[in-house]
Amino acid sequence: MTAVPLRNIRSILTCQRHLRCLQQQRRHAVTVTDEYRPSTKSRSSLKGVELLRNPGLNKGMAFTLEERQHMGIHGLLPPAVLSQDIQALRVMINFHRMNNDLDRYSELMNLSERNEKLFYRVIADNPEELIPIVYTPTVGLACQKYGLVFKRPRGLFITIHDKGHIYDILCNWTEQHVKAIVVTDGERILGLGDLGAFGMGIPVGKLQLYTAIAGVPPQDCLPIMLDVGTNNEEISANPLYIGLRQKRVTGKEYEEFLDEFMEAVVQRFGWNCLVQFEDFASQNAYRLLERYQKQYCTFNDDIQGTAAVVLSGLFGALRISGKKLNENTFLFVGAGQAACGIADLITHAMIREGASEEEARSKIWMYDVHGLIVDSRPQGDLDGPKAPYVKKGKPIKDLTQVVDYVKPTILLGASGVGRLFHEGVLKKMADINERPVIFALSNPTSRAECTAEEAYRETDGRCIFASGSPFKAVTYKDKTFHPGQGNNAYIFPAVALATIACAARHVEEDMFLIAAQKLGSLVSQADLDEGRVYPPVPTIHEVTVKIAAHLAEHLYKTKKAWNYPEPENKEEFIRMQLYDTSYEYFGPKTWQWPEQHSTSRTVPTMDENIILDA
Ligand SMILES: NC(=O)C1=CN([C@@H]2O[C@H](COP(=O)(O)OP(=O)(O)OC[C@H]3O[C@@H](n4cnc5c(N)ncnc54)[C@H](OP(=O)(O)O)[C@@H]3O)[C@@H](O)[C@H]2O)C=CC1
Ligand SMILES: CC(=O)C(=O)O
Ligand SMILES: [Mg+2]
């Protein structure tokens, strides 16, 4: 018997699996998949009640009489025809009638499962109010209560027991043209720790922002939970827990599982399917980034996206303080992936300003669970990403004393521990700085190192403040401050949009510095005068498009874009790809769009009392 080379066996198996996969898709899903695409030219072959059950196509009572007759849904809806404007108004009235944010979250998720366009339309119209529901802080609460909130899967759950079959599972996803995946293993969900499979709320929420903020069509996005178990005993004892009830798998088996996942993504969706790593624990996050960064189209949002958004906020803060980056001393409270990612990008930016690497690193101090990171301290790991920031000096545990010793001009919290910046710390920052810069980056709100109100009050209104989760405006001594939101949501949707639009092969480090600079340039003097070092949240969609266009310029200039021919006007090119929340027309072909169905996003001007009084 002649030996068949291993390579050939692998390729035969792969072909067989691929064939099986295609057959499966043909049997089960191909009609839905094909018709689910957003093109305004496409006409659905789904008819009757199936059309109403498809969230990507359903427009509820907005189907016109002609459409209802043409699509076989006449009589399945009440006779009135409502415009999307009225539907959006109804959603918001109901939203305001609810008593708590968890119910609001559930209601919005239900809407996204009924009528996707309406869901994204209301977020686009009300970003300041709704982003904190689908994203931080409420998404954190939703993850903690995911057993209650969970109604139906909105992505893939791949467990460690699926090792060896990940490709087959990816084939079970009916959409064939996935362009972006957000993946988590649920080990560090915001500052809430290991939530296991309950962490699925995070990839879902991040990808909803891909669409709501960056206009990436929802059918191009796939949330994935890699369930390797959980070490959170409380969660796994919860009768409503949705994941594997076992300890986390680590080591070689974990590594092989992740390797297989990345290979399967490429095999199933192509080499330029973007994979965003989200909320992995620090020890895995860094290692996986280093391992995959050059091989795949991937980035780690907690390390790289966060670094960019914080650097950008610092550019804004420096416009107020009038200092250069390397004229500052930085103290990080929390020395994990977010802090080290930010510190590395600040170092990179200081080197670009002319500092040596040694000089740049010398300005950055870190403080972790064991206290100030110095070489003489008895306990705590000093290796890994913290290593370049270890200082010579005496070990100090008390944070107020640390601030007194280091004398930072900029204090950044990325510890996941609420209220570490207590009165003593904040007052000390105010004692040593005319304009102390204080960023409380931890999420959700309960984990913020201080509130906006505390920061302004304890520094006598002199601090420049930003936070990871949103805080309302604060009035202190007759002046109203509008704290900026230093959240990677200003970066990852733009990076993803540019990468996808340009078909870039990799997400390279320089994209984050460029994105940070562009975001910083979009902060107006009026924003700074109000105390805001980020553009206001209602402008986040426009800001994202501008950053993405700027990144597209860079990708084409550096020959990293593979979408040819090169478009002349990059902003127009980006805008042409954006998801449109206006409804598709399903009537007879000769019919024309009436004027009022314009594709622009307009906020309804109608008085909501008309509906409430009716
Ligand atoms: N605003 C934004 O856009 C983002 C915010 N974040 C937030 O940042 C926080 C941290 O995330 P991440 O870096 O990924 O988490 P990690 O687990 O990687 O890091 C946490 C760090 O905080 C330290 N720490 C824990 N407890 C204390 C304490 N009591 N005092 C001082 N330091 C402490 C840890 O110390 P040790 O190293 O000794 O364990 C570790 O260095 C989270 O709340 C997350 O939500 C993250 C990404 C983006
Ligand atoms: C914002 C974010 O990515 C985090 O808190 O983990
Ligand atoms: Mg995160």
Side-chain angles (χ1 to χ4, degrees):
M1 205 172 85
T2 45
V4 182
L6 189 63
R7 207 177 48 243
N8 291 2
I9 296 178
R10 272 213 202 105
S11 76
I12 292 166
L13 288 176
T14 306
C15 284
Q16 282 174 345
R17 270 199 289 178
H18 195 70
L19 200 67
R20 214 170 57 235
C21 188
L22 284 176
Q23 283 164 350
Q24 267 175 11
Q25 282 164 10
R26 247 177 241 133
R27 240 181 301 140
H28 298 304
V30 88
T31 334
V32 177
T33 302
D34 287 350
E35 297 307 327
Y36 197 60
R37 302 210 64 71
S39 161
T40 44
K41 287 185 210 103
S42 82
R43 295 286 173 83
S44 174
S45 64
L46 281 187
K47 295 228 166 183
V49 74
E50 289 308 318
L51 181 62
L52 300 180
R53 287 187 183 148
N54 183 311
L57 300 172
N58 180 31
K59 36 190 209 175
M61 288 182 66
F63 282 108
T64 61
L65 183 58
E66 290 87 344
E67 289 174 316
R68 294 175 191 202
Q69 287 172 340
H70 189 68
M71 302 306 284
I73 53 174
H74 188 55
L76 301 185
L77 294 163
V81 176
L82 302 185
S83 69
Q84 195 188 62
D85 286 357
I86 295 284
Q87 289 178 309
L89 200 56
R90 180 176 57 189
V91 170
M92 291 312 292
I93 291 170
N94 279 321
F95 179 87
H96 291 137
R97 277 158 26 108
M98 295 193 166
N99 294 324
N100 64 71
D101 285 345
L102 195 62
D103 287 351
R104 294 187 180 107
Y105 176 88
S106 290
E107 184 55 26
L108 285 176
M109 292 307 119
N110 291 342
L111 174 62
S112 78
E113 278 163 19
R114 284 196 316 273
N115 183 336
E116 213 166 55
K117 293 220 166 188
L118 185 57
F119 169 75
Y120 286 111
R121 158 74 192 268
V122 291
I123 299 183
D125 287 351
N126 308 278
E128 205 160 16
E129 205 173 351
L130 299 196
I131 289 177
I133 304 294
V134 299
Y135 191 57
T136 185
T138 307
V139 74
L141 181 62
C143 286
Q144 289 174 304
K145 308 269 179 210
Y146 216 60
L148 283 177
V149 167
F150 180 82
K151 299 266 167 34
R152 44 173 277 204
R154 352 173 112 252
L156 286 175
F157 291 81
I158 305 175
T159 81
I160 190 74
H161 305 306
D162 299 317
K163 198 160 161 264
H165 307 280
I166 299 181
Y167 174 77
D168 297 326
I169 295 178
L170 293 180
C171 288
N172 289 342
W173 188 251
T174 56
E175 177 56 54
Q176 303 191 50
H177 303 280
V178 169
K179 294 187 180 144
I181 288 170
V182 175
V183 64
T184 188
D185 70 357
E187 193 168 1
R188 196 287 276 145
I189 294 299
L190 307 178
L192 303 169
D194 181 354
L195 297 188
F198 278 178
M200 183 54 144
I202 293 295
V204 168
K206 291 271 175 183
L207 284 168
Q208 283 171 337
L209 295 200
Y210 267 49
T211 305
I213 293 180
V216 178
Q219 64 274 13
D220 292 354
C221 301
L222 170 57
I224 296 186
M225 155 58 57
L226 294 179
D227 188 347
V228 296
T230 174
N231 296 341
N232 184 333
E233 286 170 12
E234 199 187 320
I235 286 223
S236 53
N238 179 342
L240 295 178
Y241 184 55
I242 60 170
L244 291 183
R245 292 169 206 275
Q246 64 171 62
K247 289 265 175 236
R248 280 186 178 274
V249 166
T250 56
K252 190 161 172 278
E253 207 184 341
Y254 179 87
E255 215 88 326
E256 287 171 358
F257 182 56
L258 268 289
D259 283 354
E260 184 189 334
F261 168 70
M262 293 304 282
E263 281 167 28
V265 166
V266 170
Q267 199 183 347
R268 173 73 177 98
F269 300 119
W271 53 260
N272 58 348
C273 175
L274 173 67
V275 181
Q276 171 174 331
F277 278 73
E278 196 66 52
D279 290 9
F280 282 70
S282 216
Q283 72 276 8
N284 291 325
Y286 259 100
R287 210 189 50 256
L288 296 173
L289 178 62
E290 266 166 36
R291 194 176 172 94
Y292 299 140
Q293 195 170 30
K294 298 241 153 52
Q295 206 181 338
Y296 298 104
C297 186
T298 188
F299 70 100
N300 182 300
D301 183 39
D302 299 298
I303 300 172
Q304 298 168 291
T306 311
V309 82
V310 173
L311 180 62
S312 158
L314 293 178
F315 288 143
L318 299 181
R319 276 163 66 190
I320 300 173
S321 71
K323 287 189 172 154
K324 282 172 73 181
L325 202 56
N326 61 19
E327 289 167 357
N328 287 279
T329 303
F330 303 81
L331 174 62
F332 283 89
V333 174
Q337 54 185 316
C340 292
I342 303 163
D344 289 348
L345 195 65
I346 291 175
T347 303
H348 189 55
M350 284 202 264
I351 293 171
R352 289 235 177 159
E353 273 186 5
S356 69
E357 182 172 340
E358 198 190 351
E359 194 187 338
R361 305 259 195 217
S362 74
K363 308 267 168 127
I364 301 174
W365 292 73
M366 291 206 173
Y367 173 98
D368 66 10
V369 78
H370 303 291
L372 189 61
I373 298 189
V374 287
D375 57 359
S376 60
R377 82 177 189 186
Q379 77 283 62
D381 180 16
L382 296 179
D383 294 334
K386 293 175 189 175
Y389 304 102
V390 178
K391 299 280 179 300
K392 293 202 181 311
K394 55 175 183 179
I396 313 175
K397 183 80 209 280
D398 179 77
L399 187 54
T400 315
Q401 285 177 22
V402 169
V403 172
D404 197 28
Y405 177 67
V406 172
K407 304 230 171 343
T409 52
I410 297 177
L411 178 67
L412 302 115
S415 62
V417 182
R419 307 301 177 270
L420 279 181
F421 298 171
H422 50 76
E423 186 188 338
V425 171
L426 296 170
K427 281 204 156 59
K428 185 58 73 184
M429 281 299 287
D431 284 350
I432 55 184
N433 295 290
E434 182 52 38
R435 299 300 309 266
V437 178
I438 296 167
F439 284 10
L441 298 165
S442 292
N443 297 314
T445 317
S446 61
R447 300 297 194 269
E449 284 76 9
C450 66
T451 65
E453 210 244 316
E454 288 160 355
Y456 293 119
R457 190 184 61 224
E458 304 305 346
T459 60
D460 200 25
R462 284 187 280 122
C463 74
I464 302 165
F465 178 79
S467 56
S469 294
F471 281 106
K472 292 209 160 63
V474 172
T475 302
Y476 176 79
K477 289 192 176 167
D478 295 338
K479 183 158 185 212
T480 300
F481 301 91
H482 296 267
Q485 192 177 349
N487 192 294
N488 50 30
Y490 276 103
I491 297 292
F492 72 80
V495 168
L497 176 58
T499 304
I500 295 168
C502 300
R505 174 79 175 81
H506 300 290
V507 185
E508 298 194 354
E509 283 297 343
D510 52 1
M511 287 177 72
F512 294 94
L513 183 57
I514 291 168
Q517 286 163 335
K518 184 67 188 175
L519 175 59
S521 76
L522 296 171
V523 179
S524 68
Q525 191 53 47
D527 294 331
L528 295 177
D529 292 344
E530 290 188 330
R532 193 170 16 222
V533 291
Y534 293 100
V537 171
T539 65
I540 197 164
H541 169 67
E542 273 305 302
V543 163
T544 298
V545 169
K546 300 266 185 230
I547 299 172
H550 192 63
L551 287 171
E553 288 284 0
H554 166 76
L555 288 170
Y556 278 102
K557 202 158 116 201
T558 53
K559 308 264 180 287
K560 306 275 169 55
W562 289 84
N563 191 354
Y564 275 94
E566 178 178 347
E568 205 169 301
N569 184 330
K570 306 296 183 298
E571 189 172 324
E572 205 172 85
F573 162 71
I574 290 287
R575 285 189 191 281
M576 274 167 57
Q577 327 225 0
L578 302 183
Y579 176 68
D580 185 353
T581 58
S582 57
Y583 288 138
E584 191 177 342
Y585 170 63
F586 293 91
K589 275 183 187 156
T590 50
W591 200 84
Q592 295 293 312
W593 279 109
E595 275 299 295
Q596 68 267 31
H597 281 261
S598 118
T599 55
S600 65
R601 286 168 171 173
T602 50
V603 181
T605 49
M606 203 170 313
D607 182 353
E608 66 178 48
N609 291 326
I610 294 173
I611 290 188
L612 286 172
D613 295 345

